[in-house]
Amino acid sequence: MTHTINLKAHNRPEVMERVLRVVRHRGFALQQMSMQQCDINQEVNITLNVTGERCINNLELQLSKLYDVSHIELEAATAIKSAVAMNA
Amino acid sequence: MTGAQLVLKVLQQHGVQHIFGYPGGAIMPIYDALYDSDVKHFLSRHEQGAAFAAVGYARTTGKVGVCMATSGPGATNLVTGLADAMMDSVPVVAITGQVFSSLIGTDAFQEMDVLGMSLSITKQSFLVQSLDELADILHQAFEVAQSGRPGPVLVDIPKDIQIGAVDFEPYALPEKTFEPVADCDIAKARDLIGAAKKPLFYVGGGVGLADAIDELQDLLDATQIPAISTLKALGTVPSDYPYNLGFVGMHGNQAANHAVQECDLLICTGARFDDRVTGKLDTFAPHAKVIHLDIDPAEIDKLRKADISILGDFKQILPALKATPEISAWQQDAIESIAKYAWRYDYPNEDIYAPALLNKLSKALPYDHVVSCDVGQHQMWVAQHMQFTSPRNHLSSGGAGTMGFGLPAAIGVQVARPDTTSVVVSGDGSFMMNVQELGTIKRFNLPVKIVLLDNQRLGMVKQWQELFFEERYSETNLSDNPDFLTLAKAFDIPSVSISKADEVDAAIEQLVNSEGAFLLHVQIDDKANVWPLVPPGKANHDMIEGA
């Protein structure tokens, strides 16, 4: 099944590596991606199309644990990155 | 001041008194600053030893452990220790020197992409790119390492940043804050607990990490619900709690494993349904609803669907779950099961039965002693047959299962708690993995007690070869081990070797009463195996016992 994930992350040079590593390690394959720097807040917007047999929510939660990721949502889903998630 | 001096000042702002490390070219400015610093440095004899000492320091205190290494191979040698800290959620900050910024990416001497290597084995990592961000990154490193679910953080600092000039700013430590827990979830969980007939606490390492041991013990007192413990939780549930069913999992107590299979409510408290706990996952706790309590949202529903999940600080959550279920029949079952499956030490032979020795050692050691162990058969015997008064007193490489963990971890313990008896229980395979750290023990006169269970085999692998690989003992015979007493003598560490059961009591007394470091070498039968055992791919109620 293919899923679309939108996320905002701190614009560190290695941030794409971090995100893509988690996607691969947690059992998903990348189909398509885009990344764009924002003008404000030193952030980047990343959109990933991924496919995999595992539960997409688990990937979403693992990505939300990345310290540099500030916001994440599954397309057609509500944002789940809560303050509690930030704590972990 | 220089960036290097700033690094040490920031460490002090975070209360760091002790660090473990090994110098080299790209971190020389920081070692030069260390020369005049009040931060005490403990030189390891291999960077992996420094990383594990920091892990031991952190695990036994709850504070951040700090290790340092140079670029390239210095940093790669830290990797296993940081991976271990990642798997077991240990707050560690690793500082690595890096070559000059201008040389990064040029294949310069000892230049490696340490940030790239760190991605999968740290909670967060940084390559410092300017002096302006150095202090802020170091502060973030300490905050991230300790916040939420703890973990290791690496800060890679190029040499030009270390020698550059920078101003030192005061810093106020942030207060630890948690989101309030939703009352409705708490009420639902409490109702479920109150209505359960066969509830069971599945206690994990998260309780100790949250410093919520007292809260868990109060909850047990209030509910009188039976409890099982993971490897990392051992010491959390009091050993005299009447419904303490003990260690769960592949080499767990039968009482614990049978209780899981029978319970109707499993209250997972800071644990993560690891495969060594669950056996065949879809057969684990087959009749149970699940309440999952954790700080990490990614653990909820990862392997087992929770009926109710509560995220947050255990110090808030656990006191709110007090309910009084009517479970007298279940409690009686627990008491009978504990008696039925109690460990037995009646071993008729003249040679040494390792479980009996460890049980005697546990009783002979001072009340608040710490045991760091390595990985393999002896690790499981320690978990089964020794008693601990806190999870901070039992350090075992759980998630990563890293041979070589024990000796350097015990060094970290001894540095952090100089008045505590720090014991290593190791095997002859594991001991050789970081044996160079005997040099650290000698250098700092650390009174670490070492118990080396020597079966001249890689025992756990040999056990599996015997059971599952048709007794084809591929590369597990270590009968050409060095003479461990001569080895100890080379480091000026007194030692004794025993091979008969009637020598055990005197040898333990000698070890416990020794003033400095001591090595007790114990020759054990290479045919001894760890029982019971849940075979791979089987359910926990399919445990097998040896002959």
Side-chain angles (χ1 to χ4, degrees), chain B residues 326-391:
Chain B
E326 176 41 58
I327 53 170
S328 52
W330 177 237
Q331 289 167 328
Q332 189 58 33
D333 287 351
I335 285 174
E336 287 170 14
S337 189
I338 288 166
K340 180 179 174 185
Y341 295 113
W343 304 112
R344 297 176 60 121
Y345 302 104
D346 45 348
Y347 181 75
N349 299 354
E350 283 184 3
D351 57 358
I352 293 172
Y353 182 49
L357 178 140
L358 292 173
N359 191 251
K360 281 185 174 180
L361 174 66
S362 193
K363 290 171 179 162
L365 286 164
Y367 175 76
D368 202 30
H369 67 272
V370 180
V371 174
S372 308
C373 64
D374 267 297
V375 170
Q377 289 181 311
H378 70 276
Q379 177 190 29
M380 293 298 102
W381 285 325
V382 166
Q384 293 174 335
H385 305 291
M386 299 189 83
Q387 305 282 338
F388 304 98
T389 52
S390 163

Side-chain angles (χ1 to χ4, degrees), chain A residues 2-84:
Chain A
T2 302
H3 309 275
T4 302
I5 299 171
N6 296 309
L7 54 87
K8 251 188 222 308
H10 189 207
N11 187 16
R12 302 287 300 182
E14 74 284 5
V15 71
M16 283 308 295
E17 289 172 75
R18 285 188 196 283
V19 169
L20 296 180
R21 194 203 71 75
V22 172
V23 169
R24 172 185 56 76
H25 180 219
R26 298 293 172 178
F28 289 81
L30 190 67
Q31 301 266 293
Q32 198 175 6
M33 57 170 259
S34 69
M35 177 199 133
Q36 192 160 29
Q37 290 193 18
C38 299
D39 295 333
I40 49 168
N41 296 336
Q42 293 186 313
E43 285 197 318
V44 290
N45 287 322
I46 300 169
T47 300
L48 306 169
N49 288 317
V50 300
T51 180
E53 299 299 315
R54 298 190 189 183
C55 175
I56 189 68
N57 298 101
N58 288 350
L59 176 62
E60 190 182 11
L61 287 166
Q62 292 293 343
L63 287 169
S64 75
K65 280 172 69 170
L66 291 174
Y67 181 70
D68 288 327
V69 171
S70 58
H71 181 86
I72 180 166
E73 60 184 26
L74 277 173
E75 204 143 276
T78 52
I80 58 94
K81 179 131 189 172
S82 66
V84 174

Side-chain angles (χ1 to χ4, degrees), chain B residues 377-423:
Chain B
Q377 289 181 311
H378 70 276
Q379 177 190 29
M380 293 298 102
W381 285 325
V382 166
Q384 293 174 335
H385 305 291
M386 299 189 83
Q387 305 282 338
F388 304 98
T389 52
S390 163
R392 288 182 177 171
N393 290 349
H394 171 238
L395 309 192
S396 193
S397 174
T402 315
M403 293 172 68
F405 172 90
L407 187 62
I411 288 170
V413 169
Q414 197 71 82
V415 169
R417 295 166 59 179
D419 298 328
T420 298
T421 303
S422 175
V423 182

Side-chain angles (χ1 to χ4, degrees), chain A residues 12-14 17-18 21 25-26 58 61-62 64-68 82-88, chain B residues 115 119-120 123-125 127 129 133 140 144 147-149 177 179 295-298 301-302 311:
Chain A
R12 302 287 300 182
E14 74 284 5
E17 289 172 75
R18 285 188 196 283
R21 194 203 71 75
H25 180 219
R26 298 293 172 178
N58 288 350
L61 287 166
Q62 292 293 343
S64 75
K65 280 172 69 170
L66 291 174
Y67 181 70
D68 288 327
S82 66
V84 174
M86 291 286 285
N87 277 332
Chain B
L115 183 71
L119 298 180
S120 65
K123 185 175 173 186
Q124 173 67 345
S125 47
L127 169 60
Q129 293 177 302
E133 64 178 20
Q140 285 181 63
V144 174
S147 64
R149 181 176 179 171
T177 57
E179 287 293 297
I295 188 74
D296 180 359
D301 298 341
K302 184 179 84 175
L311 290 166

Side-chain angles (χ1 to χ4, degrees), chain B residues 211-378:
Chain B
D211 199 17
I213 299 164
D214 289 347
E215 287 78 3
L216 189 275
Q217 293 181 355
D218 286 348
L219 184 57
L220 292 176
D221 282 343
T223 61
Q224 296 290 295
I225 291 174
I228 57 172
S229 297
T230 68
L231 182 70
K232 274 189 66 196
L234 294 173
T236 308
V237 179
S239 56
D240 60 356
Y241 180 58
Y243 311 113
N244 180 2
L245 292 152
F247 180 37
V248 64
M250 179 175 273
H251 292 294
N253 189 294
Q254 295 233 31
N257 280 343
H258 287 302
V260 176
Q261 299 308 85
E262 291 170 25
C263 71
D264 66 359
L265 176 65
L266 191 67
I267 310 157
C268 175
T269 313
R272 57 184 177 86
F273 296 92
D274 176 75
D275 59 280
R276 286 298 194 267
V277 163
T278 65
K280 191 166 186 277
L281 183 62
D282 59 11
T283 65
F284 183 72
H287 313 301
K289 289 190 171 181
V290 172
I291 298 172
H292 198 157
L293 315 174
D294 213 291
I295 188 74
D296 180 359
E299 288 302 336
I300 308 299
D301 298 341
K302 184 179 84 175
L303 291 163
R304 173 71 180 250
K305 184 88 181 151
D307 295 277
I308 296 174
S309 59
I310 303 177
L311 290 166
D313 177 19
F314 281 0
K315 283 172 117 43
Q316 289 180 50
I317 295 170
L318 298 183
L321 291 178
K322 286 177 184 167
T324 48
E326 176 41 58
I327 53 170
S328 52
W330 177 237
Q331 289 167 328
Q332 189 58 33
D333 287 351
I335 285 174
E336 287 170 14
S337 189
I338 288 166
K340 180 179 174 185
Y341 295 113
W343 304 112
R344 297 176 60 121
Y345 302 104
D346 45 348
Y347 181 75
N349 299 354
E350 283 184 3
D351 57 358
I352 293 172
Y353 182 49
L357 178 140
L358 292 173
N359 191 251
K360 281 185 174 180
L361 174 66
S362 193
K363 290 171 179 162
L365 286 164
Y367 175 76
D368 202 30
H369 67 272
V370 180
V371 174
S372 308
C373 64
D374 267 297
V375 170
Q377 289 181 311
H378 70 276

Side-chain angles (χ1 to χ4, degrees), chain B residues 364-528:
Chain B
L365 286 164
Y367 175 76
D368 202 30
H369 67 272
V370 180
V371 174
S372 308
C373 64
D374 267 297
V375 170
Q377 289 181 311
H378 70 276
Q379 177 190 29
M380 293 298 102
W381 285 325
V382 166
Q384 293 174 335
H385 305 291
M386 299 189 83
Q387 305 282 338
F388 304 98
T389 52
S390 163
R392 288 182 177 171
N393 290 349
H394 171 238
L395 309 192
S396 193
S397 174
T402 315
M403 293 172 68
F405 172 90
L407 187 62
I411 288 170
V413 169
Q414 197 71 82
V415 169
R417 295 166 59 179
D419 298 328
T420 298
T421 303
S422 175
V423 182
V424 186
V425 178
S426 190
D428 50 309
S430 289
F431 189 62
M432 290 293 284
M433 285 243 183
N434 270 320
V435 71
Q436 78 286 342
E437 297 309 319
L438 292 175
T440 311
I441 286 174
K442 176 174 163 50
R443 182 182 180 93
F444 297 101
N445 289 316
L446 300 172
V448 173
K449 316 299 181 201
I450 303 162
V451 177
L452 175 50
L453 299 177
D454 182 0
N455 60 2
Q456 302 191 5
R457 297 291 184 278
L458 285 174
M460 188 59 94
V461 181
K462 189 229 73 174
Q463 177 169 342
W464 279 51
Q465 289 170 336
E466 180 184 330
L467 297 173
F468 311 120
F469 288 86
E470 299 173 338
E471 300 184 49
R472 289 158 57 83
Y473 298 120
S474 178
E475 299 295 332
T476 50
N477 186 318
L478 300 181
S479 54
D480 53 356
N481 273 327
D483 177 342
F484 288 110
L485 269 54
T486 304
L487 185 63
K489 192 170 188 324
F491 290 94
D492 208 15
I493 294 171
S495 60
V496 67
S497 183
I498 57 174
S499 60
K500 301 287 180 214
D502 61 9
E503 298 172 307
V504 166
D505 290 346
I508 287 177
E509 195 178 332
Q510 197 176 354
L511 175 95
V512 172
N513 293 331
S514 57
E515 282 196 11
F518 192 86
L519 173 77
L520 171 58
H521 176 248
V522 184
Q523 301 169 56
I524 60 170
D525 184 357
D526 65 278
K527 293 176 197 65

